[in-house]
Structures are given as C-alpha cells and as structure tokens.
Amino acid sequence: MTATTRTGTRTGGTTRTAAGTKTRATGPARTSLPGATAPAPALVVVAHGSRDPRALSTVRALLGEVRALRPALPVHLGHIELNEPLLPDTLGALGDAEPAVLVPLLLSRGHHVTRDIPEMAGAFPARTRVAAPLGPHPLLVDALHARLLEAGWPARVPADGAVVLASAGSRDPQSRAGTARTATHLAARLGVPVLPAYASAAAPTVPEAVRALTARGYRRVAVASCFTAPGRFATECAAAAPWIVSAPLGTHPAMARLLLHRYDEALRTVGTAARRAALVP
C-alpha cells in the first residue's frame, strides 16, 4: 500500500512540505507559463549522513544506479549532517533558475522530513519540492524481503520463525506509524509475525523485541535491517540478532526505483494541483 502524501511546493516564496508545514523562502516564486516546455527538475537525494565511511560509498553507489535508470535526469546528493556535500551546499550550487525535487533517503516520516529538509530548502530561492520519504511502500518491502532471503531466510516458512524490523527510531509518532505499516506489509509478505523495533528514541529496542518474540515461543527470530546504508545504528541492531540478520538495503534495485518513484510522484502531485488551480475562474 502506498502512503498518501503531499509533496513540498513553493508558492509565493513559501515551501510547503509533505506534512503541510510552511517555511519562508528568500526570493520570489517562479512559475512557468501555461503550455511552456521546461526542463525536468533535478533530483536531489537527501541522505542523513554518517561517520561510517561505508555509508557515503553506499549512497554514492545508489545514486549511480539511479543515473543508470534515467541517464538524462540531473541527480545530485545532499546530506543533512556529517557528510559532504551538505544539502545547503548542493542547493546553493544549483542556482536560482534550476528547479529541483528533494527526495529524502529516509525510510519513514519524521523531524528531518517535516522540518529540517524544508527549512534548509526554504533558505534558498531555488524552486524546490520536498517529496515523501521512501517508506512505507511496496518497493521498500521488496528490498527488505530480498535482503532477508540473501541472509538465509528459508523458502519454507518456519513455524517458529519471526522477524524484528530494526529501524533508526524517532520521537515523531508519524515515523513510528510508518515503520509499523512497513512491518505489517512485510509480515504479510513473509507469513510470520514482524515486530518493529528501534535503535534510538522509541521503544521497543531490538533486544526487547527479540525477547518479546522469544517469550511467545518463536525460536528463530531474524532481524531485518531497515537502514539505507551501514552505520552505527545498523551495526548495533545487527549485534542483537539471535539468528540471521539482513544487510542494509543499500543498492538493491528496488531502492533506486523507489527514489525515482517518489520523484515522479512529487511532480504528478504538483502538476495535478496546478491543473486544478487553472480551472478556478
């Protein structure tokens, strides 16, 4: 099931985020004339950033997969923190005239999606739209399922099998709701219970979730890593796995397709709104 979202749009110098939050932009809004042909907006993939060097190399490789799928599309990278290029530097390099769609390389909605990214975008006059995060979405479940199979999840569903869906965690209830939905979809795919758990800021933790499932009689408990790239959280969650643990989602083909889906979705949403506005007398 695809989440229904509103992408970020700029109107009259204001960026509207997927959650409806408004941030003031510096500079006038720019619109195209009806019927005018404009180049496709650039895709800016917004990663969180990590001190683990494997994270940056993984994200760069993922962007390479996106470029291979759509060679004519300008694809850029910006980080919220910890790694270069930082998102403000990427937006500054784009210039005022080049529109862009910012796609969070994040797996659920939270403070970064609803606040940090729109506020960074609002500080620049470039025309930007903030797309929905990657999850929940069936393509995300495809990647999670595939990584579990690679880790050794059996083709025949084990009667005593269960999964802990390990994610970063957030105090934002929207983030936890999104992770819970992803867990529900993955459970339907696997045919076993899937319990969401978190590395920080939310409960239960991965060890707590493992204990809860074990207490219910599940002896083979796998950990599905709901992380885009290796890092501290992914490493800590993997260490708590009592059985198999899947690798971060990284460059799985479904991830590149999902980034492009969110980009296209943002353009369709804004285009639909513009057509409706044109019908108003």
Side-chain angles (χ1 to χ4, degrees), residues 23-203:
T23 56
R24 193 67 186 171
T26 57
R30 295 170 174 80
T31 57
S32 299
L33 293 175
T37 301
L43 165 59
V44 177
V45 176
V46 185
H48 182 277
S50 171
R51 292 185 176 86
D52 190 320
R54 296 174 298 171
L56 181 56
S57 61
T58 299
V59 171
R60 285 175 171 166
L62 177 58
L63 264 65
E65 296 291 332
V66 173
R67 294 185 179 106
L69 287 174
R70 201 168 297 184
L73 178 65
V75 179
H76 306 278
L77 173 62
H79 290 92
I80 297 171
E81 60 181 356
L82 298 175
N83 291 125
E84 294 182 347
L86 293 171
L87 179 57
D89 296 330
T90 299
L91 294 175
L94 285 178
D96 298 357
E98 185 174 359
V101 175
L102 279 55
V103 180
L105 189 57
L106 302 169
L107 303 180
S108 63
R109 193 175 308 282
H111 189 81
H112 290 314
V113 174
T114 59
R115 290 287 182 179
D116 292 339
I117 296 174
E119 286 177 1
M120 291 180 188
F124 292 85
R127 293 174 293 165
T128 58
R129 305 159 189 173
V130 181
L134 300 188
H137 193 274
L139 285 169
L140 178 58
V141 177
D142 288 348
L144 288 164
H145 185 206
R147 289 294 191 232
L148 278 171
L149 293 176
E150 292 168 1
W153 183 262
R156 175 175 291 183
V157 177
D160 60 347
V163 173
V164 172
L165 181 66
S167 66
S170 170
R171 293 182 179 87
D172 191 320
Q174 295 183 86
S175 176
R176 295 193 296 276
T179 302
R181 288 180 63 190
T182 298
T184 298
H185 298 327
L186 183 59
R189 179 76 60 89
L190 294 172
V192 301
V194 177
L195 186 62
Y198 308 95
S200 69

